[in-house]
Amino acid sequence: MTLPTQSTIVELDPVFAEMAAASFRLAGEGPELTPRERILLSLVADVCEQVLGVPYELHVRAALDQGIDADDLRELLRFISYDSGYPAALAALVRLAEIEREHGLPGPTGKGHEVDADGTGSPIPAAMRAQVQALDPGLADYMDLQSRMRADMSRISVRERAFATMTVDVLYQTLQESFRAHVGRALGAGATPDEVRAAVRVTAPFGMTRTWRALNVLDALLAEREEQEGKRTPGAA
């Protein structure tokens, strides 16, 4: 048994295959994102949508082709589980293990990271922590735990993590507090506004209308950020 390829879709419906290929190609073209980033975001979309059949297998295959190994894939699922929801990430993890067994793929080495579930504190910015604490102390404690448990991750870069959480926001349409925070994190990790825009645009094949809405929100966030930075610049009007 071999992992599905583009020819698998052609056999199902050549017209659909042509449409899908053209759509993914256009949404993902351009120099803003790396091939590795594009496939990671496709996998995140699969988790959010719980599309764990042929599309997920195609993306796992593409990930392997990009040098993303079983340990990387598991860290991605661990990382997004707090935003996608643990049940959704668990379903994707179960399916990933099945794909590895079915196709004789290399499995994980067992290497992980320090979880620090029993620790204290959180790497969440102080202002955000204070805001959530005022809203609901129990949720603040939960967010502290989630952030603390991921602080030692290193296989997925900060930029990739920011783009991944933005993808969750687009597909779940959580375009308020969390989207603002995740866009800020991407920019803070060195991503340019054009790269952040590309990370949103690449979600279009998973539901164009959600991408459209997210880009409108992103435009407002970037304009607000530019205005704030202009005010902080000496001599700015």
Side-chain angles (χ1 to χ4, degrees), residues 94-179:
V94 169
R95 182 63 191 131
L96 175 60
E98 290 174 350
I99 292 169
E100 290 168 345
R101 288 195 301 270
E102 291 168 2
H103 300 289
L105 302 174
T109 65
K111 295 178 182 178
H113 70 284
E114 183 180 350
V115 173
D116 193 26
D118 297 324
T120 58
S122 166
I124 295 175
M128 184 184 298
R129 289 186 72 197
Q131 184 180 41
V132 179
Q133 183 73 26
L135 176 67
D136 186 88
L139 178 61
D141 290 343
Y142 183 82
M143 288 180 66
D144 281 349
L145 172 66
Q146 299 309 307
S147 187
R148 187 170 63 246
M149 288 195 298
R150 288 160 174 78
D152 192 49
M153 289 183 172
S154 60
R155 304 186 73 90
I156 307 298
S157 73
V158 175
R159 171 184 159 116
E160 289 167 346
R161 286 181 242 168
F163 287 165
T165 50
M166 285 170 51
T167 297
V168 178
D169 287 327
V170 174
L171 294 177
Y172 285 179
Q173 290 289 278
T174 49
L175 300 175
Q176 294 79 38
E177 300 86 354
S178 61
F179 188 58

Side-chain angles (χ1 to χ4, degrees), residues 38 42 65 75 88-89 91 96 99 127 140 147 155 196:
R38 287 195 290 270
S42 291
D65 289 343
E75 179 160 298
L96 175 60
I99 292 169
S147 187
R155 304 186 73 90
V196 171

Side-chain angles (χ1 to χ4, degrees), residues 168-223:
V168 178
D169 287 327
V170 174
L171 294 177
Y172 285 179
Q173 290 289 278
T174 49
L175 300 175
Q176 294 79 38
E177 300 86 354
S178 61
F179 188 58
R180 174 185 292 272
H182 297 150
V183 168
R185 188 180 196 192
L187 294 169
T192 67
D194 283 345
E195 289 168 341
V196 171
R197 181 179 296 279
V200 172
R201 189 171 58 246
V202 80
T203 65
F206 299 93
M208 185 188 70
T209 53
R210 291 177 294 187
T211 306
W212 184 7
R213 175 61 186 150
L215 283 171
N216 272 305
V217 175
L218 177 62
D219 263 356
L221 290 176
L222 292 175

